[in-house]
Amino acid sequence: MKILKLLTRILSIIQYCNIFNLHKFSFNIDEYVNWVEVGAVTPVKNQGNFGTCWAFPITGAIEGLNFIKSNKLISLSEEALVNNDYPDLGIYGGNYHKAIKLIVNNGGYLPSEKEWPYNINNPKKKNYKKIINYNNPIPSMKITGIKKINNNNYALKQAIKKQPVCIYINGYSKLFTSYKLGIYNLTIYNNVDHGVLLVGYDTAKDYWLIKNSWGEKWGENGYMRVSMKNNPYFEAFVPIANNKPL
């Protein structure tokens, strides 16, 4: 069974990475999706002691989209979003819609992490528009909006098969912040207060895979597996490129 499952995963990755169909990436395997293994997810980042979690899933989702469209994984700048979120520099919270609005208002593009690195301890005010190279923009497609995903396992699976998904989750309970390993049972449903990136699932082992922005020392090298049981409550969104969802 282990060999069969391994072969199934390998086949799904080969199918997904068909270089002749980069613009039509899609997992057809219902049991397992992992964008990290495919290569569409940048290394785990660290927001530090600031309320900037909202910026990281947006950049992560767009990084994934850019990989799907161009087969290039480029780390994008959270600092561009945080520094342009007035009046508090985004360090006391924000939201996905505000982040997408900032991107849309600046041509639909983001600078790379290399051009404008995350350094919230010493913010350097810059003109967002002047950083973007509109002749050779990153990402390779224009971000034009955001779409909400219905809160049920089926809808989330259909979305994550196509691209990484931004979600809000209850993330400041003691059990969540102290998570080390294993499959986490989400027991609080009526309060979502933390932004993370949904990057996969495994129905055989009954979990969602999320990428956090608290560094690699948290959780399973910066990731968490969340139980699929009882339809855990997420508020889920995906960025839209060129006015068309994948």
Side-chain angles (χ1 to χ4, degrees), residues 1-19:
M1 290 297 291
K2 289 184 178 179
I3 294 175
L4 180 60
K5 188 168 184 178
L6 178 61
L7 287 173
T8 300
R9 292 185 181 184
I10 292 171
L11 286 172
S12 70
I13 292 171
I14 291 172
Q15 178 188 32
Y16 191 79
C17 292
N18 183 341
I19 61 172

Side-chain angles (χ1 to χ4, degrees), residues 113-170:
E113 184 84 15
K114 183 177 180 180
E115 291 172 303
W116 198 349
Y118 185 78
N119 187 17
I120 198 66
N121 292 307
N122 184 25
K124 295 180 179 179
K125 296 301 295 177
K126 298 180 182 180
N127 187 316
Y128 191 156
K129 290 185 179 181
K130 288 184 179 179
I131 289 178
I132 299 169
N133 180 355
Y134 288 97
N135 295 319
N136 186 26
I138 301 171
S140 59
M141 69 287 163
K142 185 176 182 179
I143 300 302
T144 53
I146 188 168
K147 177 184 177 183
K148 185 171 184 178
I149 307 300
N150 291 334
N151 182 47
N152 59 71
N153 283 355
Y154 176 79
L156 283 172
K157 284 181 181 179
Q158 297 309 305
I160 196 65
K161 285 179 185 180
K162 298 177 181 178
Q163 62 191 91
V165 175
C166 306
I167 64 172
Y168 295 122
I169 191 172
N170 182 276

Side-chain angles (χ1 to χ4, degrees), residues 35-168:
W35 286 104
V36 182
E37 291 179 353
V38 170
V41 181
T42 57
V44 171
K45 302 179 182 181
N46 195 333
Q47 69 186 71
N49 296 319
F50 297 91
T52 55
C53 65
W54 58 277
F56 290 83
I58 287 292
T59 57
I62 298 173
E63 287 162 358
L65 270 178
N66 188 59
F67 176 85
I68 291 166
K69 294 286 186 179
S70 68
N71 202 30
K72 294 179 181 179
L73 184 62
I74 299 172
S75 184
L76 299 176
S77 175
E78 293 80 24
E79 191 79 353
L81 298 174
V82 173
N83 264 256
N84 284 272
D85 180 31
Y86 299 105
D88 58 9
L89 295 182
I91 63 174
Y92 301 113
N95 61 69
Y96 299 149
H97 285 83
K98 182 184 288 187
I100 291 295
K101 185 177 180 180
L102 286 169
I103 296 169
V104 170
N105 288 345
N106 285 277
Y109 305 108
L110 268 173
S112 69
E113 184 84 15
K114 183 177 180 180
E115 291 172 303
W116 198 349
Y118 185 78
N119 187 17
I120 198 66
N121 292 307
N122 184 25
K124 295 180 179 179
K125 296 301 295 177
K126 298 180 182 180
N127 187 316
Y128 191 156
K129 290 185 179 181
K130 288 184 179 179
I131 289 178
I132 299 169
N133 180 355
Y134 288 97
N135 295 319
N136 186 26
I138 301 171
S140 59
M141 69 287 163
K142 185 176 182 179
I143 300 302
T144 53
I146 188 168
K147 177 184 177 183
K148 185 171 184 178
I149 307 300
N150 291 334
N151 182 47
N152 59 71
N153 283 355
Y154 176 79
L156 283 172
K157 284 181 181 179
Q158 297 309 305
I160 196 65
K161 285 179 185 180
K162 298 177 181 178
Q163 62 191 91
V165 175
C166 306
I167 64 172
Y168 295 122

